[in-house]
Amino acid sequence: MTENLGFLMSDVSRLMRRRFDERARTTGATGPQWRTLKILERREGLNQGQLAELLEVEPITACRMIDRLEDAGLVERRRDPADRRAWLIYLTDKARPVLADLHNVASEMIEGALKGLSPRQREELIGSLNAVRANLTNTPEGKEAANG
C-alpha cells in the first residue's frame, strides 16, 4: 500500500498541475508564475531568497521569475529598510485581477477533479490529506537528517 499511496499522490499532484497549467495559459500565466503570485498573495514582502525557498527553486530561478513578473507589471521590488542589499517583493494592483482569474481557473479545475465525489467524501478527502500533511510536517527534529 505504501508504494501505491506515494505513487498515487504524486500522480494526482502531477495531473492537477498539468490541468491547471493548461487552463492558466488562457489567462497568460504559467503554473510557476501562479505559484509565485499565490505565495506573495499570502505573504507579501518576502525577499528573493525566502521566495525561492517557498517555491523550492534555486535563488537565480526565483530571480528570473520575479524579473518576468516585474516586466509584466504584476510585482514590484522595494528596498528592504533593514538591509540595503536586499529587495522585498510585493504584488501590484495589476496582479489582483490576474489572481482573481487564476482563482477561478483553480476552482473550476478542482471541481472537475472532484466530480462524482459527494460532499462527505470531499470533506473526508481533505481531512485525510491534512492529517497526512501534518504527520509529515511534524517530523521530530534530527530524525529527518538521521534518515537521509
Side-chain angles (χ1 to χ4, degrees):
M1 176 177 168
T2 306
E3 288 180 25
N4 291 336
L5 177 63
F7 178 79
L8 179 60
M9 290 178 70
S10 175
D11 202 35
V12 167
S13 178
R14 178 185 61 80
L15 289 168
M16 287 181 75
R17 275 192 312 275
R18 180 183 290 168
R19 295 297 173 258
F20 178 82
D21 287 352
E22 289 168 358
R23 290 182 167 111
R25 277 191 207 105
T26 64
T27 69
T30 65
Q33 288 172 334
W34 155 253
R35 286 189 65 221
T36 303
L37 292 172
K38 187 65 181 166
I39 288 170
L40 289 171
E41 182 181 45
R42 291 178 180 166
R43 296 182 58 189
E44 277 193 274
L46 294 171
N47 67 39
Q48 291 178 185
Q50 294 166 322
L51 186 57
E53 189 174 314
L54 291 170
L55 289 168
E56 296 180 344
V57 298
E58 293 296 321
I60 190 67
T61 303
C63 183
R64 289 181 188 133
M65 177 71 63
I66 295 163
D67 288 343
R68 285 191 292 275
L69 291 170
E70 190 174 39
D71 289 345
L74 300 175
V75 301
E76 64 182 6
R77 289 177 167 102
R78 298 180 194 164
R79 287 224 179 261
D80 183 342
D83 182 354
R84 290 178 22 125
R85 298 167 298 162
W87 294 91
L88 304 179
I89 314 304
Y90 289 87
L91 295 173
T92 64
D93 290 339
K94 185 177 176 181
R96 308 288 176 198
V98 172
L99 277 162
D101 288 345
L102 290 170
H103 283 291
N104 291 335
V105 168
S107 294
E108 290 172 12
M109 189 274 306
I110 290 170
E111 207 41 54
L114 298 177
K115 183 178 170 185
L117 295 180
S118 70
R120 182 171 180 221
Q121 288 173 312
R122 291 174 184 214
E123 287 178 27
E124 289 173 352
L125 174 62
I126 298 299
S128 296
L129 290 173
N130 277 325
V132 169
R133 179 176 56 191
N135 290 340
L136 294 171
T137 301
N138 295 327
T139 302
E141 254 185 72
K143 188 172 184 170
E144 218 172 87
N147 293 328

